[in-house]
Structures are given as structure tokens and as C-alpha cells.
Amino acid sequence: SDTEDSDLRQQCKHNHDELCDQCESLHSTLNDISTAVDEASFTTEEDKDEALFLVSSATLAIKSWKCHLLRSTHQDQARLDVIDALNSGTVFIVNDWAMKFLPQRYRESQTDWFGKRGISWHISVVYRRMEGVLQWQAFIHVIQSCTQGSSAVTAIMQHVLATLKQEYPEINKAYFRQDNASCYHSSRTNFNEHRVKIVRVDFSDPQGGKGAADRLAASCKSHIRAFINEGHDVCTASDLKEALLSHGGLEGVRVVSLDTIEETPDDVQTITGITKLNNFEFSSVGSISCWRAYSVGQGKVIKIEKSSSGILQPSFSAGDFRSYKITPHKSSGEENVSEETASIERGQAAGVYSCPQDGCTRVFQRLSALEKHLSLEKCTRVPEKNSLMDLAKIGYKSYLVEGMGKLPSLQAPVRQEDSRVSLKEGWALRVVRKAYRFSEKQKSYLLSKFRIGQTTGHKLDAEVVAREMRRARGTDGARLFQSSEFLTTTQITSFFSRQSALVRQRDPDEADIRAAQEESNFSEAKETVASIQLDHPLIYDQYDLCEMALNDSLKILKLPMLQHMCEDLGLDIPSKPMHKKAPYLALLKEIVSKCTCQKSS
């Protein structure tokens, strides 16, 4: 439930008096780890702050993963409800873009390998139920050049629905399910008028696992590789279509190739906060009901004005719906068992294919049974218990702790009522992170790191910078950042990306042109001195020692910082700490004098 919107909130009709042992165990374990780290003794305060920061980040990631699992399971219920409601006049369509196919020749040189431009292809898997039997077929659009935007998705959806209506006039309703890509999760995709009535559009939770389109894409890629290995080239959209249809094609798969899909102006009304909404149900009175979580609350009602656009003209290759067959399979006792009985529970028998979904205990003897389970069936989840090996280890540990003369005993932990985890309403909803503005000190540090990467030509890794940031020191030798100012790898990566974009957009000035000419003129000299151990520039954290020595600014560093520098650089510092800067400055100037920049000047 969303506590901030009454339309997306629902009061529970049951008491929240149930207790999950695994959730309680997770909560207590995370608290114990945090307490142990907080109470542990560290060599320096830096080590403790870094450990606490890592524990806090890991705890947040684990709790976010727990929320994601609950959202994914709840949102998947929409798919199961649609499958149960299918009939001859209703279809369920799963959409997804496959990863762009890189052109490939049977024999290609190294020059052919570079500079490839991928071919876009979109997969739509359609399900329906005829006389109680589930059927499916797939429509693949292969496009030579496409932006993969909402305009292209709308045209593809209309093309698929128009084809279904033309070949199967009894179809009058459609349900859609797709991922959270912006080309699907947009007003244009949801508000466009189609020949078949769209009842509902559902979106899976981000990173919610692979779908039917992803599994079909894997089969298609294997079919294409076999076609290439026969001595063919697949370099264009028409070649890719020919590869997919080779040797009779894949059963149930229909293909059409296009040169491009024209972009059309986006004049559709917008929905505020559409990225938070995951379920859209259309009514016959020109309105749409939206939910943040499937069937939670009465839904937010929005008046819409549908728009229309042109339909793609090319026709698909020949094909029809394919039924899920119940293939007889002879067991060791020569008894026929159907595909429905091909699944077994873990621990009962040795299955070959296990369900990849977290917590599902189903195991299958055939790949076809696993694919059917993933596409159409509900996972069987049971609480995870200790295995026999875990029980043996626990018993052996107790045996060692209690001594040789005592029998090991396992006691169930006593849980206090006050230790229950109190979860707030809406705790599993996806949190919208607020924009975090970097301080001037953080910007200065990251900019210095970025410039070092630009100068040396070796771009710094964001994870390394995040680690060094937690131990960075200022000119006075004191810590530069507190634990609350530490940045994550993702934040640093985004900052570096923005800086790189600014550099690419900047027009080259005269200094850049002169630098490029000098680099070209002295390329041979660089190769000659490449074997010298000390290469320019000499860097310590965010400080360029060569530049500071040239500007005579090493003296601005405080004595503790000079001591840290000389010690970390492995210089021959006096065994007894000196209370003057001069010895340390002399050591730094001596090592700078051995740099390649000094030898070439």
C-alpha cells in the first residue's frame, strides 16, 4: 500500500500476527553484525569508519533485495491471473527487445570485426487457450535501423494485433506484459488506439528475471549460429530473417524484416509519475485505472484521449499457433507419463533442470517442461530448512564447544516478543531516491581524480576512487572526508560520465591543438623513455607531485601529510620522526627529479 495516495492504498482484512522465522533471523543477524563491527577494536579510526560504511551499505542492499523479491512475486500474480482467464477470444502478449544482433560473416577479417552496427529485433510471444489447451506463437520484427523508442513499440504492437485480428477474427481482447524499459512504460504506448481491445497492460518489477521473449531469443540465436556455421553471412535484416526461417524455421515463430520504423511526433497526454505505476487497466468509458502494486487499492482513475497512428504494411511469414503438447514419455517401468508429471520435488528424485526462480523447489526431467513451468505455471515455494550437512556441522560445533564428555545438544533459540521486526506500511515499495548534491570538497576531489585520468591517459576505476576516498587526506594531513561524506561507486561513475560528456562537447582550443602536435612530434621520444621506472606524472592520491614541484607548491603540505607521503612512497625516511618539513621536502624533490618530465626538460 502507498500511504501517500488513498487510491493506491488498501486496508488489510486480517491481523498482522504471523511471524516469519527467516525474516526475524535476517534482521537479528544484520543487527548482530553491525553491533560487532561497532564494538570491535580497529588500528585507526579510518578503518572503523570504512568498516561501518561498508556494513551500512551492505545492509541497505540486502533489505532492498528483500523488497525486490516481494514486489516481483506479487507482480507476477498478474501474469498468472491473466493465463487463468485466457480463452479463444483473449490473448496474452509478452513483449521485449532482444539484444541487438551484431552482423557476422562465416569468415571475417579483423577489420570486419570492428565498427559493427547492431540490428534491432523485437519479440512478441502470444498465448491463448483453445478448448482448454494452451497455444502460443511468436512474432519477430527484424529492423535494420531503429531507435527502439515508444513510437516503434506502438507500431509493432499495432502490427501484431492487426495480424491476429485478420487471421483470427474471434480474438477481441488482449493483455500485455513487458519490462520497465522507457519505450514500453510511456503514455504513447498505453494511450494508442488498437484494433483489438487492450484490457490491461502489466509491467514486471525492474530486474524481475527473464521472460518468455528472452528464452525464445536464446533459441533463435542458436538457430542463427547453426545457419552461419553452414557458410552463410548474416549482415542485414533480410539475412537475419533468412537465418531464422532456414530449415523450416523455429516452430511457432513468424518473422518480418523492415528497413526502418519512422518516428512520429509525440502528442499524447502525459501521466505524472508514470514510472511509479505498474498496472494499467482500460475501461470502455475512455478512462484508465492505474496501480502501483497489482490489485492494491481501488486504483487511480485517469481520463484519456486515445490517438491513432499508421500500421506497418509488411506481412509476417506463414505460421500458426502451436499447442503445448502432452508428449508421452516412457519411464523405466514402461509406463507412459505426461509432461505434466515430469516435474518432481527437490529431494525426491534426481531431476535434470531445476527452476531458477528464488525459493522454487520444482525440478524437471525435460527442458520443455521447465520452459512451460516458467512461462505458464506458478512456482512452488517452501521455507528453506537446514540440510543434513548443516545439521551435522551444527552438531559437530556443539560437540567441540561442550567438550568430549558431554553429548551435543541443540537448543532452539528463545525469541522475545519485543524482538519482532516492526515493518511499516508500504515497506516493500520501490523507494524514489532523492537527488544528492555533492559538496564543493567532494567535487574538488573527484575533479582532481578525473584530471589525473585525463592527463595520464589511464582512466581511474570508480571503485578504486571510492576506496581511496575513504582514506583521503588534505594538505594538513587530516582526514578529508567523514563517513557521512563517503560516495558509492555508482555516484562516482555518474560524476565521471558527466565530466566525460562535457569534455566531448567542448570545442578544441589552441592549447589542445598544440598539445596534440607536440604529442605527435615526441611520440618516438616517449617510446624511448617508456622503460624508465618513474613515468610522468608522479601521483599520490589527488596530488600531482610533478606539477607541485614545478610550481614550488610542495611546501603548502603540512608536516603530517609529508610524512604520510614519504612513508607510502617507500622513501628512505629517518627512523626517528623529524619535526621539520625540510627533510621530507628534499626526499620528494629528489624522487621528482628522477621523473621522465625532468629528464626531458
Side-chain angles (χ1 to χ4, degrees), residues 474-487:
T475 57
D476 56 353
R479 292 183 59 189
L480 197 58
F481 301 103
Q482 300 300 320
S483 58
S484 59
E485 298 175 304
F486 294 161
L487 298 178

Side-chain angles (χ1 to χ4, degrees), residues 25 28 32 37 43 185 188 257 262 319 374 416 492 587 591:
S25 177
S28 60
D32 291 344
V37 172
T43 306
H185 216 148
R188 171 184 286 188
S257 65
E262 297 293 337
L374 292 173
Q416 302 293 334
I492 296 174
L587 290 173
I591 192 174

